[in-house]
Amino acid sequence: MEVLTAAVDAIRKQKPRKIVVLTGAGVSADSGIPTFRGQGGLWRNYRAEDLATPEAFARNPLLVWEWYEWRRSLVRDAEPNAAHRAIASLGDALVVTQNVDGLHQRAGSQNVIELHGNLFRARCFRDGARRDAVEAFAELPPHCACGALLRPDVVWFGEMLPEGAFARAGHAVHEADLLLVIGTSGVVFPAASLVSLHDGLSIEINPQLSALSSACTFAIAAKAAEATPIIVEAIYAGTDRGSTT
Ligand code: NAD
């Protein structure tokens, strides 16, 4: 694949040290977790955009929680794939993810900014208090001890990102020598706007063209689990990080 070879050559020449990896749902597609857009993006004929909103929760919290319990069970049964593992092997890279599945951390990444929260936390609808929520709830919709509803601790369409997360991510993207953009459609803002803060080498990995492809130096048309290990190996080859194997 010509673009992949050209990207590997560029990495070898540049020997990047400060690396940021921006990921979206596509990086977890190879672990069997459906993306929102593209094949398999529907659940009981609902579009994600019609369920992941405060309005949908206000209208029908049971329906929204049923969808989240389905997603949580898929992720519980899934394993990180070769892309998550390769990214984790870049111990000092910052991972900025739109994903809520925690698979980067399960693969061993320690430096992760979760822009959109995490499926395995919930928060009280009344006072916002957060709690871990790893196991399936006995009853849906779940309630807090105070009697109010619990909601998933994720960022829904139209909501603000966690305080400080975007600023920290933006600063790191601006400072990075290399930005990897893996498995995102690039249509969810403000996450997608992070790419415009970077003016150095940037490499996208996505089997489809995305809204960010033309903003990246190289757009590799491949699955994350196939191309990411090759890109990470090239990063290792140019530095004193040692070997990934
Ligand atoms: P998206 O669903 O909008 O787009 C997914 C992108 O991944 C598409 O561009 C698609 O071409 C690409 N893709 C599909 N298979 C791939 C593969 N094997 N390798 C690489 N790329 C592949 O996802 P998004 O851009 O992350 O934005 C939508 C929102 O979806 C985010 O806010 C995120 O929180 C949420 N989401 C998260 C998960 C998760 O945590 N796993 C799953 C679904 C949606």
Side-chain angles (χ1 to χ4, degrees):
M1 197 196 293
E2 272 171 43
V3 183
L4 179 58
T5 309
V8 164
D9 286 348
I11 290 171
R12 291 204 163 136
K13 245 181 238 141
Q14 184 174 316
K15 303 186 183 2
R17 304 199 65 84
K18 283 188 263 175
I19 299 164
V20 174
V21 189
L22 174 65
T23 65
V27 77
S28 296
D30 294 321
S31 294
I33 303 182
T35 58
F36 277 3
R37 296 173 186 81
Q39 280 188 341
L42 288 180
W43 173 80
R44 293 193 200 165
N45 292 326
Y46 291 95
R47 293 180 328 138
E49 291 93 325
D50 297 333
L51 293 165
T53 68
E55 294 77 19
F57 191 72
R59 236 183 352 254
N60 193 340
L62 176 61
L63 177 73
V64 171
W65 264 115
E66 284 175 345
W67 180 56
Y68 275 95
E69 279 300 50
W70 171 71
R71 294 178 62 199
R72 282 154 46 85
S73 72
L74 287 181
V75 174
R76 252 187 239 108
D77 293 344
E79 294 295 333
N81 63 54
H84 297 109
R85 290 195 298 273
I87 293 165
S89 76
L90 291 169
D92 49 0
L94 173 68
V95 180
V96 178
T97 189
Q98 298 167 81
N99 292 349
V100 290
D101 57 28
L103 287 181
H104 285 299
Q105 293 92 327
R106 274 171 59 189
S109 285
Q110 297 193 348
N111 199 4
V112 181
I113 296 178
E114 290 180 319
L115 291 176
H116 294 162
N118 192 297
L119 285 176
F120 298 103
R121 278 194 318 264
R123 64 179 198 258
C124 175
F125 206 72
R126 185 177 294 155
D127 66 10
R130 292 184 160 81
R131 66 177 60 186
D132 288 339
V134 177
E135 302 302 328
F137 289 101
E139 266 181 41
L140 293 181
H143 287 80
C144 180
C146 77
L149 279 172
L150 285 174
R151 60 160 284 178
D153 189 20
V154 299
V155 177
W156 282 328
F157 292 111
E159 293 187 318
M160 304 282 284
L161 301 193
E163 211 176 317
F166 187 77
R168 276 195 296 134
H171 180 73
V173 167
H174 182 68
E175 297 292 305
D177 305 324
L178 169 64
L179 176 65
L180 301 180
V181 181
I182 306 179
T184 176
S185 57
V187 299
V188 176
F189 283 81
S193 67
L194 284 170
V195 175
S196 68
L197 302 176
H198 181 74
D199 56 10
L201 180 61
S202 53
I203 297 173
E204 178 184 63
I205 300 173
N206 192 322
Q208 310 287 323
L209 280 178
S210 80
L212 299 171
S213 303
S214 61
C216 291
T217 321
F218 297 99
I220 299 170
K223 291 183 172 185
E226 290 166 3
T228 310
I230 298 169
I231 290 296
V232 168
E233 199 56 53
I235 294 170
Y236 272 92
T239 68
D240 55 6
R241 283 181 163 87
S243 167
T244 53
T245 52

